[in-house]
Amino acid sequence: MTPRDAADANSSRWSDLERPPLGVTALRRGLVREGGLWSGIEVVQRTGSTNSDLVARVAAGTAAEGAVLVAEEQTAGRGRLDRRWSAPARSGLFFSVYLRPAEVPVARWGWLPLLTGVAVAAGLSRAAGVDTALKWPNDLLVTVGDEERKAGGILAERAGPDGVVVGVGVNVSLRAEELPVPQAGSLALAGAVTTDRDPLLRAVLRSLEDWYGRWRAADGDPGPSGVQETYAAGCATLGRAVRAELPGDRSVVGEAIAVDGDGRLVLATPDGLREPVGAGDIVHLRPA
């Protein structure tokens, strides 16, 4: 880094005093412990995608299970269906974690993004005091005024032969004029009691460690671990008329009635069929 680059980075670091940088030393002290899941926490000032970076580290053999990579600013964040998004520096939580559930059958790994949704929603509800809901399969919803809006998302990717990188992006202090689309929201706009990202990140990672531990202890079975029941209880998609936009330019309309044991959304179609949806884009057609 040149002296000018360093000066620019330092200036950017403090350019918005309402959005202070994360305290990595305190985060490590609070989360990395003997016998715990989190093996290391790194905070970078700016990157394209924490998921891409962490997947690359796994491939290079430089990441251990429980590695957490956090970005103050992410310029090419990736969502499902290869969607791209970015947000102002220090306006949200942008991080990825590396998990290796070796004892869990691979067929059950599809629960990891749903499990992460449960953990993120629980952690943010406790720390930010905001009611959150989950849109199947991987969106975090908040209420702004009387409108349901997306405030976060989750992306899970295979990493190496026996691991998964799970990325999380949550809008924390995003202001109305900074929203990328009118349907977006943030914890601040939903009336959060705090937008201090340090306690929010600690709460989310502690919640994720707890839920991941329960799931692993149950060999990934979503029933005994409580993940399936808890996900369904917090899922805003259930009980609604939805349109599932599926691969191959096919769509199905029906009422979302359940999340099955494989993590699929089950639709009751107008012709009386039950159709499980394992991948696709879900559009809510009417309020719950």
Side-chain angles (χ1 to χ4, degrees), residues 22 36-37 60 73 88-90 98 111-112 122 124 129 134 145 159 193 234 240 253 259 270 286:
L22 290 164
L37 173 61
E73 181 180 10
R90 302 180 305 281
Y98 176 44
W111 274 97
L112 279 170
L124 292 178
L134 299 165
V193 297
R240 302 174 92 135
V253 172
V259 175
R286 62 171 171 80

Side-chain angles (χ1 to χ4, degrees), residues 237-244 246 250-260 264-277 282-283 285-286:
T237 304
L238 294 181
R240 302 174 92 135
V242 304
R243 182 175 66 252
L246 308 175
R250 190 170 75 92
S251 66
V252 176
V253 172
E255 181 182 355
I257 59 172
V259 175
D260 71 12
R264 299 175 300 179
L265 186 68
V266 180
L267 304 186
T269 65
D271 54 8
L273 298 178
R274 299 289 186 266
E275 177 148 355
V277 175
I282 299 297
V283 179
L285 300 179
R286 62 171 171 80

Side-chain angles (χ1 to χ4, degrees), residues 67-115:
V68 182
L69 179 62
V70 189
E72 295 282 28
E73 181 180 10
Q74 194 169 230
T75 59
R78 293 182 293 118
R80 289 179 62 252
L81 308 179
D82 205 32
R83 293 188 176 113
R84 304 281 167 161
W85 58 270
S86 61
R90 302 180 305 281
S91 66
L93 298 177
F94 318 118
F95 68 94
S96 297
V97 302
Y98 176 44
L99 305 174
R100 291 180 62 192
E103 69 281 9
V104 175
V106 173
R108 292 175 172 169
W109 288 15
W111 274 97
L112 279 170
L114 281 72
L115 177 156

Side-chain angles (χ1 to χ4, degrees), residues 130-153:
V130 170
D131 288 333
T132 57
L134 299 165
K135 178 186 175 187
W136 189 91
N138 70 335
D139 289 346
L140 181 78
L141 305 178
V142 297
T143 301
V144 179
D146 59 356
E147 188 178 355
E148 195 176 66
R149 298 193 189 180
K150 178 179 174 178

Side-chain angles (χ1 to χ4, degrees), residues 11-35:
S11 172
S12 172
R13 180 178 168 85
W14 295 101
S15 60
D16 189 338
L17 296 181
E18 294 182 5
R19 292 171 173 163
L22 290 164
V24 64
T25 301
L27 288 170
R28 289 171 179 156
R29 188 183 305 121
L31 294 165
V32 179
R33 69 185 194 285
E34 186 78 25

